[in-house]
Amino acid sequence: MNSKINIGSLIKGHIKTLYNASTKKLDFSDIVTFFVLPALVAILGSFWGIFLSIDIISLLVNFGSIFTALLLSVLVLVYDQVGKVNEKLNDDKIRTIQC
């Protein structure tokens, strides 16, 4: 696999997030939520012949892109606020040292 397009590290990182922080073991409910349930829904949906219309797919794509943009803007806002707090703390420490 090309090193520029290596998704192995992404998959390993995702699996590491499935471990319970207190017990250091894989959490069964997370495995079911992120692997078993989506696969089961996809398999049953294709087995029963359930297909999404073009309008529903378009709606889901639009909703996903808007939701992603909002989450990214919140992430940038939080990152900016943390930077401001750290800068203020550093300024306060410098002022106390100078006095």
Side-chain angles (χ1 to χ4, degrees), residues 35-52:
F35 290 112
V36 176
L37 188 63
L40 188 64
V41 168
I43 291 169
L44 290 177
S46 64
F47 179 72
W48 288 330
I50 299 173
F51 295 101
L52 300 176

Side-chain angles (χ1 to χ4, degrees), residues 68-81:
T68 301
L70 289 172
L71 285 178
L72 286 174
S73 66
V74 168
L75 180 65
V76 168
L77 179 67
V78 168
Y79 182 75
D80 184 48
Q81 292 299 319

Side-chain angles (χ1 to χ4, degrees), residues 13-31:
H14 177 64
I15 291 174
K16 286 181 184 178
T17 64
L18 301 177
Y19 283 89
N20 190 336
S22 60
T23 62
K24 307 289 188 212
K25 293 182 179 179
L26 278 173
D27 195 8
F28 180 73
S29 63
D30 285 346
I31 292 172

